[in-house]
Amino acid sequence: MKTLKQASVRIFIVATLFASTAALSEEAKPKPEVVQPKTEVAVPAKPMTDVLMQELRQQLSLNIKHEVNMALSHSVELIKDSLR
């Protein structure tokens, strides 16, 4: 009789845990909100000027030169270390 009572208490506890978890998950679900889509407004894009293009080309050229110089100096250091 004692084992039957313990088993029923354990089943009751487990069932309560599952029920409370299910209830909490129902509460945690966000309520769907209806969002009205906004109308899109066409904004004319400004064309890139020649000056801006020239500046971008110059920056790109300088960055490429810098990266090449760094790679070459690193290679030279590796070659020097291997020859020693």
Side-chain angles (χ1 to χ4, degrees), residues 39-64:
T39 57
E40 294 183 13
V41 178
V43 178
K46 296 181 181 178
M48 294 183 75
T49 62
D50 291 336
V51 174
L52 181 59
M53 287 298 292
Q54 185 64 28
E55 288 177 6
L56 289 174
R57 284 187 186 118
Q58 186 178 9
Q59 286 179 0
L60 181 61
S61 174
L62 288 174
N63 286 342
I64 290 172

Side-chain angles (χ1 to χ4, degrees), residues 21-36:
T21 305
L24 287 175
S25 69
E26 287 294 322
E27 291 176 7
K29 287 183 182 175
K31 295 180 181 176
E33 295 180 12
V34 178
V35 179
Q36 296 295 329

Side-chain angles (χ1 to χ4, degrees), residues 53-81:
M53 287 298 292
Q54 185 64 28
E55 288 177 6
L56 289 174
R57 284 187 186 118
Q58 186 178 9
Q59 286 179 0
L60 181 61
S61 174
L62 288 174
N63 286 342
I64 290 172
K65 286 178 185 177
H66 177 72
E67 290 295 322
V68 168
N69 285 335
M70 292 297 294
L72 284 174
S73 65
H74 183 68
S75 297
V76 167
E77 290 297 321
L78 289 175
I79 292 170
K80 283 181 182 178
D81 290 342

